[in-house]
Amino acid sequence: MSLCLSKCIRIAALAATAIVLGTPPAITQEPSTGSQWLNTPTSRVEALAVLQTLNANLLSNASATLTLDRWCAAHKLATEGSKIVAQHVGGQDKPADEHIRELLTVGPGELIAYRRVRLVCGDRVLSEADNWYVPAKLTAEMNQALNTSDISFGRAVQALNFTRTNLSAELLWSPVPEGWDMDGLIAHETGSFSLPPFLLEHRAVLKLRDGTPFSALVESYTDKVLDFPVPRLLSH
């Protein structure tokens, strides 16, 4: 790998590594059986750069749904024109606790709805999310759509022109060890390296334009966000 390319990848990876630690995701999934990413130093640094690019995109946009729409299209994770849809996960209701009510600034008697979904791009689950929201802050049409369809939350409430306050962003896995940028990377045998089921976790609050919070989120992003061919290194 050329000195210029190596330096660019290192800068891209280090620039996005400001991570706020949170608690591990409550969602469980079977371990991944493999990946398309090669078990080489170059490929591992590429994977880190790509993962941190997604992380930065999610942190800089209000809607995770729209960000995943673009990610899905750019990396050809589904047929052209596919949009993110939300698959409901039933039977695992999580009533809002005191912390959630504090985040949403609502009293003990006000209704808080709960929605757990998998955000799917084609046949790939890109994230799983817990969402507590205040129905009284949404329109009747928005509540109807959330209760009766597979629309994602971000798309359902898009007309609110909401903002997002990120509470934490945790890198649950890294393809390179801590200190790699100073100590270097060990070359492994050829083949691919396996990915864990979840790579990123974000916690956030969505707010109306006047700053009123109406939704609290815990989003866990899966290994499928990297389920595309390894980037090619092109020579001049």
Side-chain angles (χ1 to χ4, degrees), residues 26-184:
I27 304 165
T28 59
Q29 184 168 302
E30 292 300 319
S32 177
T33 57
S35 74
Q36 302 184 61
W37 294 82
L38 301 177
N39 195 17
T40 65
T42 299
S43 183
R44 285 182 172 273
V45 174
E46 287 177 319
L48 177 62
V50 173
L51 183 58
Q52 292 289 24
T53 296
L54 173 61
N55 193 33
N57 289 344
L58 290 164
L59 291 173
S60 61
N61 288 279
S63 173
T65 298
L66 300 183
T67 301
L68 290 178
D69 274 341
R70 293 188 288 269
W71 188 264
C72 179
H75 296 87
K76 298 179 173 58
L77 298 179
T79 57
E80 186 174 356
S82 296
K83 295 292 184 182
I84 297 295
V85 297
Q87 293 180 347
H88 286 263
V89 180
Q92 302 181 38
D93 189 41
K94 296 181 182 178
D97 59 18
E98 184 177 347
H99 176 62
I100 295 296
R101 289 189 175 275
E102 288 177 356
L103 289 176
L104 297 177
T105 63
V106 299
E110 187 166 356
L111 176 64
I112 296 179
Y114 172 74
R115 198 171 189 246
R116 180 175 174 137
V117 299
R118 298 185 180 97
L119 295 186
V120 180
C121 167
D123 61 357
R124 291 176 170 89
V125 177
L126 299 188
S127 76
E128 300 191 7
D130 292 312
N131 180 11
W132 294 266
Y133 64 96
V134 185
K137 303 293 174 60
L138 310 183
T139 67
E141 292 77 16
M142 292 174 184
N143 283 309
Q144 175 73 6
L146 290 170
N147 290 332
T148 62
S149 74
D150 64 358
I151 191 171
S152 67
F153 190 81
R155 213 183 307 282
V157 303
Q158 189 174 0
L160 295 177
N161 196 22
F162 59 88
T163 62
R164 179 183 176 108
T165 298
N166 294 301
L167 304 178
S168 67
E170 183 182 1
L171 187 65
L172 302 175
W173 167 84
S174 176
V176 296
E178 186 176 357
W180 70 273
D181 49 320
M182 296 298 294
D183 302 332

Side-chain angles (χ1 to χ4, degrees), residues 22-28 94 128 130 170 172 198-201 203 218-221:
T23 58
I27 304 165
T28 59
K94 296 181 182 178
E128 300 191 7
D130 292 312
E170 183 182 1
L172 302 175
F198 294 99
L199 308 180
L200 290 170
E201 182 192 83
R203 294 171 182 260
V218 179
E219 302 161 335
S220 299
Y221 295 90

